[in-house]
Amino acid sequence: MPAPVSKPDDPALLRIDGPIATITLNRPTAFNSINLPIAEKLEQLAAYIEGDDAIRVLVIEGEGRAFSAGGDLQTIGAAAEAGTVTPVVGELLKHYHAFIEIVRRMPKISLSSVHGSAAGAGMGLAFVTDLCIAADDAKFTPAYAKIGVSPDGGSTVGIVGTVGSRRALQIFLAEDNFTAQQAYEWGLVAKTVPAAELKAATRQLAERLAQNPPAAIAGTKSLVHAATTTPVKQQLDAEEHKIIMAMNTEAFRTAVKKFTSKSK
């Protein structure tokens, strides 16, 4: 299947460079807030990336001054006034949550590259990916409790598994916002860099991740995400299955030959 062709005015753009795919949230005048068109486009792009065996790493970034301001409150507020929240938000989240599901399950590493503000579902997106790199001046804003709602957009999926339930409750109910440094200390961000260096540092990290063979990426990601909810025997069986699959690849045979030749 040919890669989707991105037009400059698409709400999300796709760029592929070897084993690295980059999705750019492209609603800069709305701080990359999530409405139905961008949710549908994200689902479409993620489905393509999932099916392309040549892609090993997905980078998600935002155009303009912010990573993402979260859900589009203009659209959602209008629906609330009109009494159409259930169908409007239901349709939006159907596509956006489908996108999140693909990002979590696909046998590729996802990396969010965060600058400016990441709020609400934008914060959730930053942390639902497998890894996050952030500019040192980035700000994360839960925002949900302020408008009287609970989290969505994968926010609890990514955050609770990383920081635990008590810290998650603190983040969602007691924090107005927090810094990239705090997120790093809590384990939500893998690395912080000066804002001017974010693009280059993201590329460097993505290239390093892409050096891992596909079987190693796929097996490790699925095992890690399943570990906290899978019974021990089932997890050990999965480990056995994944490592034997990986050991039957040419990449493993080549790596072992290289290693054993050095040790002689």
Side-chain angles (χ1 to χ4, degrees):
M1 184 171 72
V5 177
S6 291
K7 302 172 186 174
D9 59 348
D10 282 348
L13 309 175
L14 175 64
R15 183 174 74 255
I16 298 174
D17 185 7
I20 300 170
T22 301
I23 289 178
T24 304
L25 308 178
N26 191 38
R27 299 187 69 217
T29 58
F31 301 103
N32 298 318
S33 57
I34 308 299
N35 61 3
L36 182 58
I38 195 172
E40 291 174 330
K41 178 59 73 171
L42 288 170
E43 182 184 8
Q44 176 200 3
L45 297 181
Y48 172 79
I49 291 166
E50 182 180 33
D52 187 335
D53 293 338
I55 296 172
R56 300 186 188 183
V57 177
L58 165 62
V59 174
I60 301 175
E61 63 181 14
E63 182 64 34
R65 293 192 296 156
F67 176 71
S68 173
D72 187 340
L73 289 181
Q74 296 282 351
T75 300
I76 296 168
E81 288 295 323
T84 57
V85 161
T86 299
V88 169
V89 176
E91 183 69 8
L92 167 60
L93 289 182
K94 179 180 82 171
H95 294 284
Y96 189 66
H97 283 176
F99 159 67
I100 296 296
E101 283 186 65
I102 296 170
V103 169
R104 292 290 284 192
R105 76 171 180 239
M106 66 181 182
K108 305 153 195 297
I109 291 292
S110 56
L111 170 65
S112 55
S113 178
V114 179
H115 74 287
S117 173
M123 179 192 72
L125 177 57
F127 301 139
V128 82
T129 53
D130 301 311
L131 293 170
C132 175
I133 184 171
D136 54 11
D137 60 355
K139 285 284 192 297
F140 299 93
T141 306
Y144 292 105
K146 280 186 175 180
I147 57 173
V149 297
S150 53
D152 71 338
S155 295
T156 59
V157 174
I159 290 175
V160 179
T162 302
V163 305
S165 58
R166 291 177 69 85
R167 178 74 75 183
L169 287 169
Q170 174 190 332
I171 287 171
F172 289 119
L173 297 175
E175 296 287 348
D176 290 331
N177 57 63
F178 54 95
T179 65
Q181 180 60 32
Q182 285 175 289
Y184 173 77
E185 291 168 359
W186 295 341
L188 291 165
V189 165
K191 185 177 184 181
T192 63
V193 296
E197 299 174 16
L198 181 62
K199 288 272 189 186
T202 299
R203 181 69 194 183
Q204 184 179 39
L205 178 54
E207 288 176 346
R208 186 168 129 212
L209 292 168
Q211 290 174 8
N212 292 293
I217 293 174
T220 301
K221 177 171 175 172
S222 66
L223 287 168
V224 167
H225 284 319
T228 56
T229 57
T230 304
V232 172
K233 176 64 167 64
Q234 187 178 332
Q235 183 73 3
L236 292 173
D237 288 345
E239 287 186 358
E240 176 184 346
H241 173 67
K242 296 291 184 184
I243 198 168
I244 288 175
M245 282 182 60
M247 286 176 173
N248 277 297
T249 64
E250 188 59 35
F252 172 75
R253 288 187 285 271
T254 301
V256 169
K257 284 178 184 176
K258 185 177 179 182
F259 179 82
T260 53
S261 65
K262 284 182 180 178
S263 62
K264 290 180 179 178

